[in-house]
Amino acid sequence: AQKITQTQPGMFVQEKEAVTLDCTYDTSDPSYGLFWYKQPSSGEMIFLIYQGSYDQQNATEGRYSLNFQKARKSANLVISASQLGDSAMYFCAMREGNSYGKLTFGQGTILTVHP
Amino acid sequence: NAGVTQTPKFRILKIGQSMTLQCTQDMNHNYMYWYRQDPGMGLKLIYYSVGAGITDKGEVPNGYNVSRSTTEDFPLRLELAAPSQTSVYFCASIVGRLNTEAFFGQGTRLTVV
């Protein structure tokens, strides 16, 4: 069974608009962390934001915020005020508490920002 | 601070050849990982190590081997390359706590023909 599911293969957004990228996860471990990474066309993996399973507040990092709904097992990434440079592949990933730091990745969502 | 360094960046192999992908980190991280990324897909774990002398298999280990003789280095060996091993390979490391980001190398794009 998929542990991380990203159901949107591709998303389009107008520059300066907000966009939400969906991510659902599956784990029975009460201790886990959720990560979002950006992969531009150049190929490197860029860390964006982290949410821990025990965190009470939703994580925010600049224009990125994570809409964490624990009961629904979802960890959606919200990008506000989209910029052309946000066009990239975005990956949701999970690290379970007993997993020696291993990350399980979703399939990714390609975001295209239109001017 | 170099972070995680992978070499080479690109390589073309013929079927049946072998090669070693190098990975070095200078952050004194105990935990290191090798992932592969097939076109249009997410990353899948090949092997990982929790410290020098300790390695274990990930989700897709067949056709690969690793070693960890030092904290800094975690080479990935491909024996008898096959077209199915055409992929982008990423090395990553973390300091060991649950909430810390993984630092990734720049990736190695491997094509087996």
Side-chain angles (χ1 to χ4, degrees), chain B residues 38-79:
Chain B
D38 297 332
M41 304 294 287
L43 282 68
K44 293 186 177 181
L45 183 65
I46 306 171
Y47 270 95
Y48 69 101
S49 169
V50 300
I54 306 169
T55 62
D56 206 350
K57 296 177 180 178
E59 183 183 357
V60 289
N62 291 346
Y64 307 94
N65 275 301
V66 294
S67 60
R68 184 96 183 269
S69 56
T70 67
T71 299
E72 295 78 20
D73 300 309
F74 189 40
L76 177 71
R77 177 83 178 162
L78 277 72
E79 305 282 0

Side-chain angles (χ1 to χ4, degrees), chain A:
Chain A
Q2 289 278 5
K3 286 199 168 186
I4 295 283
T5 303
Q6 294 180 254
T7 57
Q8 306 155 314
M11 288 286 285
F12 296 89
V13 66
Q14 208 71 25
E15 195 178 9
K16 299 180 186 176
E17 299 287 313
V19 63
T20 298
L21 305 184
D22 294 342
C23 173
T24 58
Y25 60 92
D26 183 28
T27 181
S28 57
D29 192 330
S31 177
Y32 55 89
L34 297 156
F35 299 78
W36 278 91
Y37 281 85
K38 173 183 179 182
Q39 187 178 45
S41 58
S42 51
E44 70 267 33
M45 296 291 287
I46 301 169
F47 166 73
L48 296 178
I49 196 166
Y50 165 84
Q51 180 83 45
S53 59
Y54 295 118
D55 293 344
Q56 296 296 313
Q57 307 271 7
N58 284 346
T60 60
E61 288 286 349
R63 294 186 298 111
Y64 304 108
S65 60
L66 203 152
N67 184 358
F68 182 46
Q69 298 189 44
K70 195 170 181 176
R72 298 178 68 178
K73 294 189 174 179
S74 75
N76 299 338
L77 177 70
V78 181
I79 305 174
S80 63
S82 296
Q83 301 171 356
L84 295 178
D86 293 334
S87 293
M89 176 78 94
Y90 288 81
F91 290 103
C92 180
M94 178 174 64
R95 175 183 295 151
E96 293 167 295
N98 62 354
S99 68
Y100 300 104
K102 295 177 284 183
L103 286 170
T104 301
F105 286 83
Q107 307 93 313
T109 296
I110 299 175
L111 176 66
T112 304
V113 181
H114 289 303

Side-chain angles (χ1 to χ4, degrees), chain B residues 1-9 20-27 29 32-34 71-76 89-93 103-108:
Chain B
N1 194 344
V4 179
T5 303
Q6 287 182 239
T7 55
K9 288 187 170 51
T20 299
L21 281 66
Q22 302 291 345
C23 176
T24 298
Q25 54 91 8
D26 62 0
M27 297 172 284
H29 287 173
M32 296 187 73
Y33 311 87
W34 275 105
T71 299
E72 295 78 20
D73 300 309
F74 189 40
L76 177 71
Y89 292 83
F90 287 97
C91 180
S93 73
F103 291 84
F104 284 84
Q106 293 293 310
T108 296

